[in-house]
Amino acid sequence: MAEERKLIVGYDLGEEYSEISCYSYKSFEPLPIGSRIPTVLCLTNDTLNWLYGEEAQECAAKDKGILVDNIFEKLLSQETTSIGGVEFTGSQLLEKFFRRTLILLKKDFPTELITKIVVTVRDTSPTLVANIKEALFLLGIEEDRGTVISHSSAYIYYALSQDSSLWINDVGLFDFAKEGLKYYQIQINRRTKPKVASIVKKDYSNILTYSMLEDKEIDHAYILENAANQALYKQIISTLYFTGEGFEGGWAEDVLKKLSVGRRAFIGTGMYSKGACYAAKEMSEEGESQYILIDEDMINNSVYLLVYGDGKMQEHMIAKAGTPWYEVNNTVEIIPDNMREINLFFHNIMTKETVRESFILSNLPERPNKMTRLGLNISFISKDLAKIKIKDLGFGDLYPASNHIWEFNIAQNTL
């Protein structure tokens, strides 16, 4: 019964439209809660209430309130926006949008609190991720209950949560959004345990854009078919997915039928919110996953220390492969044994190679052996650049901390 009370949410936050899914423990799949919600707010003139979505658009169209759109731009900007004489940050505006749209969950789950929510956006950046997390925090959802992932990550979670017959071989996705046509292919390495699922991207937005659909003189179907054939050339694909408003209107129907010959094919919306929902479910459960996901945001290396415990040397992981680089910020305390250097081991999940990196602690105060505590923090500046920060913590009242700090940057692409 406790498991059934979990509220697992996937939230596709789009520049123009947003979608929400919630995991059903009856059907064992995400259910759409809100589809194509315009990502806008409106502050009413009379009651100063906040409206969202279509209601907000209608209110502003009747000059009954102040429309707040371009929320993404406000999230990426460090500037505030004046609305009704009050200054708001992008995070504060997003919190209001989250708060009002998530009320849709109350219809089916009137008393449950969100156990885990994963927000997915088309492309991540440190600023965008930080501001989305700030909005979730303002909503009362702290770090352990809220995560941000890219659309490509959500797509992997979605595809690999389907029946395994759909991903016997690679899986492809054509996404035709306002930004143009893009192709994402999931490649699965089944020789590793757990399996490693990585993604390859191809950008065709330079030859087929959403705005081109308005030009009736252009043979859009011909361009799409050529791009798709190029993407799929010599690839063994079990399943193809098609999503995005660019495919609406039926103009691509014949091309999609050709591309689907010999493959399973699906077209529709809601994939990213459902993928985020599957991600939230997996992240909220204990145990080892059957596969590790690697995309442009996720680190390829697991990082660990060798520590002594229970009468033997053991690996103590401080960063796990498949974690978004901007999510890594872990600290451990260690007591060195007859050494003035720290050794970290970087294990590449793709190549299976392990590299040792040694960090010399110059100017470490002289103390008896095992009478020094060190705080070691690992974070990432980018996917391929790890930052190691080590701080002398001393050893209680006997040996006060010098608070000396050593910092090292390690390039992952050289490992």
Side-chain angles (χ1 to χ4, degrees):
M1 293 296 293
E3 185 178 54
E4 294 178 354
R5 294 182 64 84
K6 288 183 178 180
L7 191 52
I8 307 297
V9 180
Y11 200 116
D12 180 15
L13 180 64
E15 292 92 333
E16 296 189 29
Y17 296 97
S18 296
E19 298 188 328
I20 308 170
S21 294
C22 185
Y23 191 80
S24 169
Y25 282 91
K26 293 182 179 179
S27 61
F28 301 104
E29 63 181 2
L31 298 178
I33 299 296
S35 299
R36 290 184 66 83
I37 304 169
T39 311
V40 297
L41 291 165
C42 183
L43 181 64
T44 61
N45 295 329
D46 50 1
T47 61
L48 299 180
N49 287 330
W50 288 94
L51 306 177
Y52 75 91
E54 292 181 357
E55 189 179 10
Q57 291 175 328
E58 293 172 1
C59 177
K62 296 176 182 178
D63 291 327
K64 293 184 178 180
I66 304 170
L67 183 68
V68 182
D69 55 5
N70 298 322
I71 292 179
F72 256 72
E73 293 181 12
K74 295 174 175 59
L75 285 171
L76 293 170
S77 172
Q78 301 301 319
E79 300 177 357
T80 59
T81 303
S82 179
I83 305 169
V86 180
E87 297 292 325
F88 294 93
T89 65
S91 297
Q92 290 171 328
L93 292 172
L94 181 58
E95 181 271 336
K96 296 184 181 302
F97 185 73
F98 277 154
R99 186 176 297 277
R100 278 145 187 81
T101 52
L102 290 174
I103 288 177
L104 295 170
L105 296 168
K106 294 296 183 182
K107 179 180 178 182
D108 296 313
F109 307 94
T111 59
E112 285 84 348
L113 295 175
I114 293 175
T115 303
K116 184 75 176 183
I117 181 171
V118 169
V119 179
T120 181
V121 292
R122 178 164 296 278
D123 296 299
T124 59
S125 71
T127 299
L128 182 60
V129 171
N131 285 333
I132 291 174
K133 288 194 170 186
E134 174 66 17
L136 291 173
F137 179 79
L138 294 173
L139 195 63
I141 298 176
E142 297 188 2
E143 189 88 8
D144 60 334
R145 292 197 293 136
T147 301
V148 183
I149 63 175
S150 66
H151 273 182
S152 59
S153 296
Y155 158 51
I156 299 178
Y157 275 106
Y158 178 85
L160 298 192
S161 296
Q162 307 307 304
D163 189 278
S164 59
S165 64
L166 296 177
W167 42 281
I168 292 177
N169 299 306
D170 289 359
V171 182
L173 166 68
F174 287 97
D175 183 333
F176 193 3
K178 291 291 180 67
E179 293 77 12
L181 179 67
K182 295 183 180 181
Y183 175 71
Y184 306 89
Q185 183 169 317
I186 300 173
Q187 298 178 335
I188 304 170
N189 186 345
R190 292 176 171 81
R191 296 188 299 273
T192 61
K193 188 176 181 181
K195 305 179 186 71
V196 177
S198 58
I199 196 161
V200 174
K201 288 186 175 184
K202 295 181 180 179
D203 190 345
Y204 296 101
S205 58
N206 61 327
I207 61 174
L208 187 57
T209 64
Y210 189 80
S211 60
M212 288 170 59
L213 296 178
E214 299 177 0
D215 190 340
K216 304 304 180 183
E217 300 298 319
I218 298 176
D219 191 343
H220 311 106
Y222 176 79
I223 296 174
L224 172 63
E225 186 172 1
N226 279 349
N229 286 333
Q230 179 183 336
L232 300 174
Y233 181 65
K234 290 188 176 181
Q235 302 299 309
I236 303 176
I237 308 293
S238 297
T239 303
L240 281 177
Y241 294 97
F242 303 89
T243 192
E245 53 264 54
F247 288 120
E248 296 175 357
W251 65 271
E253 185 174 336
D254 289 341
V255 177
L256 301 192
K257 287 181 179 178
K258 291 180 183 179
L259 297 175
S260 303
V261 174
R263 309 181 180 101
R264 300 287 297 276
F266 303 90
I267 184 169
T269 60
M271 176 187 298
Y272 296 126
S273 70
K274 291 177 182 178
C277 193
Y278 280 123
K281 180 178 180 294
E282 181 162 322
M283 293 176 187
S284 66
E285 295 178 343
E286 297 181 356
E288 189 72 22
S289 173
Q290 295 182 357
Y291 44 80
I292 294 176
L293 311 184
I294 300 292
D295 73 358
E296 74 278 5
D297 288 333
M298 297 173 177
I299 60 175
N300 292 352
N301 290 275
S302 290
V303 186
Y304 63 89
L305 289 156
L306 284 180
V307 299
Y308 188 81
D310 297 328
K312 60 181 179 180
M313 297 301 293
Q314 304 178 47
E315 296 178 2
H316 181 78
M317 189 176 298
I318 58 174
K320 185 177 181 181
T323 305
W325 66 267
Y326 47 78
E327 295 278 356
V328 179
N329 188 11
N330 303 322
T331 300
V332 295
E333 289 190 7
I334 55 178
I335 299 177
D337 185 7
N338 283 321
M339 62 176 63
R340 302 179 70 83
E341 69 178 31
I342 300 298
N343 295 313
L344 291 183
F345 297 84
F346 293 77
H347 177 72
N348 191 299
I349 195 65
M350 307 294 286
T351 65
K352 296 302 179 183
E353 295 179 346
T354 300
V355 174
R356 183 181 71 179
E357 292 287 341
S358 298
F359 306 98
I360 306 299
L361 305 183
S362 58
N363 301 319
L364 181 66
E366 292 288 345
R367 301 187 184 107
N369 188 35
K370 297 184 181 179
M371 287 294 178
T372 294
R373 284 187 311 124
L374 300 173
L376 186 151
N377 174 269
I378 182 171
S379 60
F380 278 75
I381 299 172
S382 67
K383 174 181 177 176
D384 298 320
L385 187 61
K387 180 179 180 179
I388 308 300
K389 184 177 178 180
I390 302 173
K391 183 177 181 180
D392 174 31
L393 303 177
F395 203 86
D397 294 332
L398 290 174
Y399 299 99
S402 68
N403 292 320
H404 190 85
I405 295 175
W406 299 264
E407 291 189 359
F408 309 90
N409 291 338
I410 303 297
Q412 299 287 281
N413 55 5
T414 63
L415 301 180

